[in-house]
């Protein structure tokens, strides 16, 4: 699980770092970078109540793997687009909206898995290891992406896509959680009701 989380962080930070560089290279506009951030953040903000409810009701490994598969598809789409010499931003924004939605699906499920799978006596140690894994990924991802970008502009996206696929496969080897799932149907109404309780 920690290995999968490390790969996810490296892949995500690699991709987001190079997205900013690519958008800047195309437009040289701070406003376009702002729109990129909005395209990435808005789906997460809008979908979080629903995706949190989904993570509470379904196998979090499967939910994470579905989100990772969607993120990998976006990474491969960006890889193809970066190699196409098409200096337009709207395809990038469209792909980033899908990426934001996939991240909204992944985040609540993958964050809860370390605690779900840990014996009660080891939870603090596992949470610390998980946090350390995230910090390593935050450092390694942009560095690797920068070196790959210098070698070939599309390469960081291919790298990220491969890591996301590997992390999704890795999650299938994580044991199933014995934590009880909520039983009501997922949706905005039940998510809001759960949040108010």
């Amino acid at each position: 699980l920690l290995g999968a989380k490390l790969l996810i962080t490296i892949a995500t930070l690699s991709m987001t770092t190079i997205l900013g560089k690519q958008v800047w290279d195309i437009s040289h506009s701070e406003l376009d970078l702002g729109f990129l951030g909005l395209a990435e953040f808005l789906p997460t903000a809008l979908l979080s109540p629903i995706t949190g409810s989904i993570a509470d009701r379904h196998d979090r490994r499967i939910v994470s793997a579905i989100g990772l598969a969607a993120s990998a598809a976006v990474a491969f789409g960006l890889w193809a687009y970066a190699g196409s010499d098409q200096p337009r931003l709207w395809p990038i924004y469209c792909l980033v909206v899908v990426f934001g939605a996939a991240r909204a699906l992944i985040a609540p499920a993958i964050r809860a898995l370390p605690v779900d799978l840990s014996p009660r006596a080891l939870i603090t140690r596992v949470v610390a290891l998980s946090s350390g894994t995230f910090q390593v990924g935050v450092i390694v991802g942009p560095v690797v992406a920068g070196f790959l970008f210098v070698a070939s502009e599309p390469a960081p996206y291919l790298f990220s896509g491969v890591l996301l696929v590997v992390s999704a496969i890795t999650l299938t080897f994580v044991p199933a959680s014995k934590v009880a799932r909520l039983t009501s149907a997922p949706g905005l109404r039940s998510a809001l009701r759960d949040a108010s309780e």
Side-chain angles (χ1 to χ4, degrees), residues 10-26 33 36 40 75 78-79 82 89 92 96 99 140-160:
I10 291 172
T12 301
L13 269 293
S14 296
M15 205 151 70
T16 54
T17 300
I18 297 308
L19 276 166
K21 171 72 171 130
Q22 186 178 14
V23 167
W24 178 258
D25 286 349
I26 291 170
L33 287 176
L36 176 66
E40 188 178 340
L78 288 166
W79 170 61
L89 293 177
I92 295 173
V96 169
F99 181 57
V140 171
V143 171
V144 172
F147 281 112
L148 288 172
F149 186 81
V150 169
S152 167
E153 187 174 317
Y157 298 124
L158 179 61
F159 171 73
S160 294

Side-chain angles (χ1 to χ4, degrees), residues 86-184:
Q86 297 290 327
R88 295 190 184 131
L89 293 177
W90 68 266
I92 295 173
Y93 291 147
C94 291
L95 287 166
V96 169
V97 166
V98 176
F99 181 57
R103 286 179 67 183
L105 186 63
I106 296 165
I110 200 79
R111 286 183 185 149
L113 274 173
V115 175
D116 285 358
L117 299 171
S118 302
R120 189 176 290 263
L122 296 178
I123 286 177
T124 54
R125 186 179 303 172
V126 171
V127 169
L129 282 171
S130 181
S131 178
T133 300
F134 175 77
Q135 292 302 322
V136 170
V138 166
I139 294 166
V140 171
V143 171
V144 172
F147 281 112
L148 288 172
F149 186 81
V150 169
S152 167
E153 187 174 317
Y157 298 124
L158 179 61
F159 171 73
S160 294
V162 169
L163 289 188
L164 290 165
V165 168
V166 171
S167 62
I169 293 168
T170 302
L171 282 179
T172 64
F173 295 100
V174 172
S177 169
K178 294 181 175 62
V179 174
R181 298 274 163 249
L182 297 176
T183 55
S184 60

Side-chain angles (χ1 to χ4, degrees), residues 57 183-185 187-197:
R57 288 165 172 78
T183 55
S184 60
L188 184 57
R189 183 174 294 151
S190 63
L192 294 174
R193 185 182 62 245
D194 293 343
S196 67
E197 292 176 353

